[in-house]
Amino acid sequence: MVQTTPFLLVLSLALVAPGFSARKQCVLSGRWVNDLGSNMTIGAVNGKGEFAGSYHTAVTATGNEIQLSPLQGSQHRTTNKGQPTFGFTVNWSFSDSITVFTGQCFVDKDGKEVLKTMWLLRSRVDNINDDWKATR
């Protein structure tokens, strides 16, 4: 899970790659780390734009031990403009919640790949009367 202070947090994730050289296209596959120290690994994106991977958050609102959690996603593949939009879901292994992320992959002026994302977290609640506090 991620920090709960803002309703929607914009994350900047920077690609970690040894010997990285400037690219014109942004590629989702690889290992990404955000400014809070959370990291994710995205496997190959298939021909339909689908991908899978894992997310290891550095922050949580639960008292549970943080565990590596699976992610499933999709990249928009109808254009070859090189800075794709995407979305993925993380099913947290250590809590009763799920987070969806949506964003776009950019290549900045220095050739660095950056993911700009927003997230929405849904926690399980015991009844419908508590629905108001289940989404962050």
Short mmCIF file of all heavy atoms in Angstrom, two decimals, residues 15 23 25-30 32 45 75 82 84 105 107 113 115:
data_model
loop_
_atom_site.label_atom_id
_atom_site.label_comp_id
_atom_site.label_asym_id
_atom_site.label_seq_id
_atom_site.Cartn_x
_atom_site.Cartn_y
_atom_site.Cartn_z
N LEU A 15 13.60 5.05 -14.03
CA LEU A 15 14.13 3.77 -14.46
C LEU A 15 15.54 3.58 -13.90
O LEU A 15 16.36 4.48 -13.95
CB LEU A 15 14.18 3.70 -15.99
CG LEU A 15 14.77 2.43 -16.59
CD1 LEU A 15 13.89 1.24 -16.25
CD2 LEU A 15 14.90 2.55 -18.09
N ARG A 23 16.95 7.44 -25.14
CA ARG A 23 16.04 6.74 -26.03
C ARG A 23 14.98 7.71 -26.51
O ARG A 23 14.62 8.64 -25.80
CB ARG A 23 15.34 5.60 -25.29
CG ARG A 23 16.23 4.51 -24.83
CD ARG A 23 15.38 3.45 -24.14
NE ARG A 23 16.25 2.44 -23.58
CZ ARG A 23 15.87 1.57 -22.69
NH1 ARG A 23 14.66 1.56 -22.26
NH2 ARG A 23 16.71 0.67 -22.23
N GLN A 25 11.98 6.34 -27.44
CA GLN A 25 10.76 5.69 -27.00
C GLN A 25 10.88 5.29 -25.54
O GLN A 25 11.96 4.99 -25.06
CB GLN A 25 10.48 4.45 -27.84
CG GLN A 25 10.06 4.78 -29.25
CD GLN A 25 9.40 3.59 -29.91
OE1 GLN A 25 9.83 2.47 -29.72
NE2 GLN A 25 8.37 3.85 -30.69
N CYS A 26 9.76 5.28 -24.87
CA CYS A 26 9.70 4.88 -23.48
C CYS A 26 9.26 3.42 -23.42
O CYS A 26 8.26 3.05 -24.02
CB CYS A 26 8.72 5.77 -22.73
SG CYS A 26 8.91 5.71 -20.96
N VAL A 27 10.01 2.60 -22.71
CA VAL A 27 9.74 1.17 -22.61
C VAL A 27 9.39 0.85 -21.16
O VAL A 27 10.17 1.11 -20.25
CB VAL A 27 10.97 0.35 -23.06
CG1 VAL A 27 10.72 -1.13 -22.92
CG2 VAL A 27 11.36 0.73 -24.48
N LEU A 28 8.20 0.27 -20.94
CA LEU A 28 7.76 -0.05 -19.58
C LEU A 28 8.54 -1.18 -18.93
O LEU A 28 8.74 -1.19 -17.72
CB LEU A 28 6.27 -0.41 -19.58
CG LEU A 28 5.27 0.72 -19.75
CD1 LEU A 28 3.85 0.16 -19.73
CD2 LEU A 28 5.44 1.77 -18.69
N SER A 29 8.95 -2.17 -19.72
CA SER A 29 9.62 -3.34 -19.16
C SER A 29 10.90 -2.93 -18.43
O SER A 29 11.67 -2.12 -18.92
CB SER A 29 9.97 -4.33 -20.26
OG SER A 29 8.79 -4.79 -20.88
N GLY A 30 11.09 -3.49 -17.24
CA GLY A 30 12.29 -3.22 -16.47
C GLY A 30 11.98 -2.99 -15.01
O GLY A 30 10.87 -3.25 -14.54
N TRP A 32 11.71 -0.30 -11.88
CA TRP A 32 11.42 1.10 -11.63
C TRP A 32 11.45 1.37 -10.14
O TRP A 32 11.03 0.53 -9.35
CB TRP A 32 10.04 1.46 -12.18
CG TRP A 32 9.91 1.28 -13.65
CD1 TRP A 32 9.61 0.11 -14.33
CD2 TRP A 32 10.09 2.27 -14.66
NE1 TRP A 32 9.59 0.34 -15.67
CE2 TRP A 32 9.87 1.66 -15.91
CE3 TRP A 32 10.40 3.63 -14.62
CZ2 TRP A 32 9.96 2.36 -17.11
CZ3 TRP A 32 10.48 4.32 -15.81
CH2 TRP A 32 10.26 3.68 -17.03
N VAL A 45 6.10 -6.67 -22.33
CA VAL A 45 4.77 -6.28 -22.76
C VAL A 45 4.45 -7.09 -24.01
O VAL A 45 5.21 -7.05 -24.98
CB VAL A 45 4.70 -4.77 -23.06
CG1 VAL A 45 3.31 -4.38 -23.55
CG2 VAL A 45 5.08 -3.95 -21.83
N GLN A 75 -0.83 -1.77 -21.48
CA GLN A 75 -0.28 -0.58 -22.11
C GLN A 75 -1.08 -0.28 -23.36
O GLN A 75 -1.43 -1.20 -24.11
CB GLN A 75 1.18 -0.82 -22.47
CG GLN A 75 1.81 0.30 -23.27
CD GLN A 75 3.25 0.01 -23.63
OE1 GLN A 75 4.05 -0.27 -22.76
NE2 GLN A 75 3.57 0.05 -24.91
N GLY A 82 5.63 6.51 -28.96
CA GLY A 82 6.76 6.28 -28.07
C GLY A 82 6.60 6.64 -26.62
O GLY A 82 7.49 6.38 -25.84
N PRO A 84 3.80 5.83 -24.20
CA PRO A 84 2.49 5.20 -24.05
C PRO A 84 1.80 5.49 -22.72
O PRO A 84 2.43 5.72 -21.70
CB PRO A 84 2.83 3.71 -24.15
CG PRO A 84 4.22 3.62 -23.60
CD PRO A 84 4.89 4.88 -24.08
N CYS A 105 4.17 6.94 -19.73
CA CYS A 105 5.63 6.82 -19.74
C CYS A 105 6.19 7.94 -20.61
O CYS A 105 5.74 8.14 -21.74
CB CYS A 105 5.99 5.45 -20.31
SG CYS A 105 7.72 5.01 -20.17
N VAL A 107 9.82 10.24 -21.95
CA VAL A 107 11.27 10.39 -22.07
C VAL A 107 11.53 11.88 -21.92
O VAL A 107 11.03 12.69 -22.71
CB VAL A 107 11.80 9.87 -23.42
CG1 VAL A 107 13.30 10.09 -23.53
CG2 VAL A 107 11.47 8.40 -23.60
N GLU A 113 13.87 7.93 -18.86
CA GLU A 113 12.49 7.45 -18.86
C GLU A 113 11.87 7.71 -17.48
O GLU A 113 12.48 7.42 -16.46
CB GLU A 113 12.45 5.96 -19.16
CG GLU A 113 12.87 5.64 -20.58
CD GLU A 113 12.92 4.16 -20.83
OE1 GLU A 113 13.64 3.48 -20.07
OE2 GLU A 113 12.25 3.68 -21.75
N LEU A 115 7.97 7.55 -15.34
CA LEU A 115 6.55 7.20 -15.29
C LEU A 115 5.85 8.23 -14.43
O LEU A 115 6.26 8.48 -13.30
CB LEU A 115 6.32 5.82 -14.68
CG LEU A 115 6.97 4.63 -15.36
CD1 LEU A 115 6.57 3.35 -14.65
CD2 LEU A 115 6.63 4.57 -16.83
#
